[in-house]
Amino acid sequence: MVVTSRVSFALSGIITVLLFSGMQMYKSWLASTQLHTIFGGYIGSLVFIFSLTALGNLETIMFGQSFQMKLFPEVFISLITSLIASGLVHRVSTTTCFLFSMVALYYLNRISQETYSTSAPVAPVHTKKRK
């Protein structure tokens, strides 16, 4: 199901806030064991993905469809936000959040390149024939 940029901005913003508040509500549980701490980093990477989506949709609404997100400031702001959210849970969650976020960013970039990249038409090369 395809939604507009406005609806996607609202949904991803709400999900970001819900994930962040859920991490804070279950902070003690997420810091209780090693596996839960790694899970806290994974949830932090989801905060990264959804905040990046919200920020990208906000810029699309404000600047138009042709606007592209860049490494700085969009990705950097989303990454710092998710790392701070994970750091409020546990230090190891910050590290795993960074690792999961980098993997997610790689795949988001790959999907974006496959979806939105346009290949330039190849011009035929004319060569002179020698007689």
Side-chain angles (χ1 to χ4, degrees):
M1 181 170 113
V2 178
V3 296
T4 64
S5 293
R6 292 181 192 274
V7 174
S8 180
F9 167 68
L11 289 174
S12 57
I14 290 169
I15 292 171
T16 300
V17 170
L18 288 175
L19 285 172
F20 180 78
S21 62
M23 286 176 74
Q24 294 309 304
M25 287 184 350
Y26 294 103
K27 180 191 302 189
S28 60
W29 182 79
L30 288 171
S32 63
T33 65
Q34 290 178 351
L35 189 60
H36 294 162
T37 304
I38 293 171
F39 182 63
Y42 176 72
I43 295 173
S45 71
L46 292 177
V47 170
F48 168 72
I49 292 169
F50 286 113
S51 65
L52 186 64
T53 303
L55 190 57
N57 284 317
L58 177 65
E59 289 177 341
T60 299
I61 293 167
M62 292 174 62
F63 304 123
Q65 289 290 96
S66 62
F67 190 81
Q68 293 181 356
M69 293 184 3
K70 297 172 189 64
L71 183 63
F72 185 81
E74 294 91 2
V75 174
F76 187 73
I77 289 170
S78 297
L79 183 63
I80 293 299
T81 303
S82 66
L83 291 176
I84 289 172
S86 296
L88 292 173
V89 173
H90 196 276
R91 292 181 300 180
V92 177
S93 291
T94 305
T95 306
T96 56
C97 173
F98 179 76
L99 296 174
F100 285 134
S101 296
M102 290 299 104
V103 171
L105 185 62
Y106 169 76
Y107 283 108
L108 282 173
N109 185 34
R110 191 168 150 192
I111 290 169
S112 175
Q113 291 298 321
E114 291 173 2
T115 304
Y116 297 111
S117 69
T118 57
S119 59
V122 178
V125 177
H126 299 288
T127 58
K128 282 188 161 183
K129 294 182 182 178
R130 294 186 177 193
K131 294 184 182 180

